[in-house]
Short mmCIF file of all heavy atoms in Angstrom, two decimals:
data_model
loop_
_atom_site.label_atom_id
_atom_site.label_comp_id
_atom_site.label_asym_id
_atom_site.label_seq_id
_atom_site.Cartn_x
_atom_site.Cartn_y
_atom_site.Cartn_z
N GLU D 69 -6.86 17.18 33.40
CA GLU D 69 -6.52 15.89 32.83
C GLU D 69 -6.66 15.88 31.32
O GLU D 69 -5.88 15.26 30.61
CB GLU D 69 -7.42 14.78 33.42
CG GLU D 69 -8.92 14.95 33.16
CD GLU D 69 -9.60 15.83 34.21
OE1 GLU D 69 -8.87 16.54 34.92
OE2 GLU D 69 -10.85 15.79 34.30
N ASP D 70 -7.66 16.62 30.80
CA ASP D 70 -7.81 16.65 29.34
C ASP D 70 -6.72 17.46 28.68
O ASP D 70 -6.23 17.12 27.62
CB ASP D 70 -9.18 17.23 28.98
CG ASP D 70 -10.31 16.34 29.47
OD1 ASP D 70 -10.04 15.13 29.61
OD2 ASP D 70 -11.42 16.83 29.71
N ALA D 73 -3.83 15.38 28.50
CA ALA D 73 -3.95 14.37 27.44
C ALA D 73 -3.62 14.96 26.08
O ALA D 73 -2.96 14.35 25.26
CB ALA D 73 -5.38 13.80 27.42
N MET D 85 -2.39 6.33 23.91
CA MET D 85 -2.31 6.92 25.24
C MET D 85 -1.39 6.08 26.11
O MET D 85 -1.47 4.86 26.13
CB MET D 85 -3.70 7.02 25.86
CG MET D 85 -4.68 7.86 25.03
SD MET D 85 -6.31 7.88 25.76
CE MET D 85 -5.94 8.74 27.26
N GLU D 89 -0.73 8.14 31.83
CA GLU D 89 -1.84 9.05 31.58
C GLU D 89 -3.17 8.38 31.87
O GLU D 89 -4.07 8.97 32.44
CB GLU D 89 -1.77 9.52 30.14
CG GLU D 89 -2.88 10.48 29.77
CD GLU D 89 -2.87 10.79 28.29
OE1 GLU D 89 -1.91 10.35 27.65
OE2 GLU D 89 -3.79 11.46 27.83
N LEU D 90 -3.29 7.10 31.46
CA LEU D 90 -4.53 6.39 31.72
C LEU D 90 -4.77 6.22 33.21
O LEU D 90 -5.90 6.37 33.70
CB LEU D 90 -4.47 5.03 31.02
CG LEU D 90 -5.71 4.15 31.13
CD1 LEU D 90 -6.91 4.87 30.52
CD2 LEU D 90 -5.49 2.82 30.45
N LEU D 91 -3.70 5.93 33.99
CA LEU D 91 -3.88 5.78 35.43
C LEU D 91 -4.29 7.09 36.06
O LEU D 91 -5.12 7.13 37.01
CB LEU D 91 -2.57 5.27 36.05
CG LEU D 91 -2.17 3.84 35.65
CD1 LEU D 91 -0.81 3.50 36.23
CD2 LEU D 91 -3.22 2.84 36.10
N GLN D 92 -3.72 8.23 35.59
CA GLN D 92 -4.12 9.52 36.13
C GLN D 92 -5.58 9.80 35.85
O GLN D 92 -6.30 10.30 36.73
CB GLN D 92 -3.23 10.61 35.51
CG GLN D 92 -1.77 10.54 35.98
CD GLN D 92 -0.89 11.47 35.16
OE1 GLN D 92 -1.40 12.22 34.36
NE2 GLN D 92 0.40 11.41 35.38
N LYS D 93 -6.02 9.47 34.64
CA LYS D 93 -7.43 9.69 34.33
C LYS D 93 -8.33 8.84 35.23
O LYS D 93 -9.37 9.28 35.71
CB LYS D 93 -7.71 9.36 32.86
CG LYS D 93 -7.13 10.39 31.89
CD LYS D 93 -7.57 10.06 30.49
CE LYS D 93 -7.03 11.09 29.50
NZ LYS D 93 -7.48 10.84 28.14
N GLU D 94 -7.91 7.58 35.47
CA GLU D 94 -8.74 6.71 36.31
C GLU D 94 -8.79 7.21 37.76
O GLU D 94 -9.83 7.18 38.41
CB GLU D 94 -8.19 5.29 36.24
CG GLU D 94 -8.37 4.63 34.88
CD GLU D 94 -7.79 3.24 34.84
OE1 GLU D 94 -7.15 2.86 35.85
OE2 GLU D 94 -7.99 2.54 33.83
N LYS D 95 -7.63 7.71 38.27
CA LYS D 95 -7.63 8.24 39.64
C LYS D 95 -8.55 9.44 39.76
O LYS D 95 -9.33 9.56 40.72
CB LYS D 95 -6.21 8.61 40.05
CG LYS D 95 -5.29 7.41 40.25
CD LYS D 95 -3.89 7.85 40.65
CE LYS D 95 -2.97 6.66 40.82
NZ LYS D 95 -1.59 7.09 41.18
N CYS D 96 -8.44 10.37 38.80
CA CYS D 96 -9.31 11.54 38.82
C CYS D 96 -10.77 11.13 38.72
O CYS D 96 -11.63 11.71 39.38
CB CYS D 96 -8.93 12.50 37.70
SG CYS D 96 -7.29 13.21 37.87
N ALA D 97 -11.02 10.14 37.85
CA ALA D 97 -12.42 9.70 37.70
C ALA D 97 -12.93 9.07 38.99
O ALA D 97 -14.08 9.31 39.40
CB ALA D 97 -12.52 8.71 36.55
N ASP D 98 -12.08 8.28 39.69
CA ASP D 98 -12.51 7.69 40.96
C ASP D 98 -12.78 8.77 42.00
O ASP D 98 -13.74 8.70 42.79
CB ASP D 98 -11.44 6.72 41.48
CG ASP D 98 -11.32 5.52 40.56
OD1 ASP D 98 -12.30 5.25 39.82
OD2 ASP D 98 -10.26 4.86 40.58
N GLU D 158 -9.12 4.13 24.59
CA GLU D 158 -9.68 5.47 24.61
C GLU D 158 -11.15 5.46 25.01
O GLU D 158 -11.59 6.35 25.74
CB GLU D 158 -9.51 6.11 23.22
CG GLU D 158 -8.07 6.33 22.80
CD GLU D 158 -7.41 7.43 23.60
OE1 GLU D 158 -8.13 8.22 24.23
OE2 GLU D 158 -6.18 7.49 23.62
N ALA D 161 -11.29 4.94 28.74
CA ALA D 161 -10.94 6.17 29.46
C ALA D 161 -12.06 7.19 29.38
O ALA D 161 -12.34 7.90 30.36
CB ALA D 161 -9.65 6.74 28.87
N ILE D 165 -14.11 9.02 32.49
CA ILE D 165 -14.13 10.47 32.67
C ILE D 165 -15.55 10.99 32.69
O ILE D 165 -15.91 11.85 33.51
CB ILE D 165 -13.32 11.14 31.54
CG1 ILE D 165 -11.84 10.78 31.70
CG2 ILE D 165 -13.49 12.66 31.55
CD1 ILE D 165 -10.98 11.26 30.56
#
Side-chain angles (χ1 to χ4, degrees):
E69 61 274 17
D70 295 335
M85 300 178 65
E89 180 186 353
L90 182 60
L91 293 175
Q92 291 170 6
K93 288 186 179 182
E94 292 179 353
K95 291 179 181 179
C96 295
D98 293 339
E158 296 290 342
I165 293 173

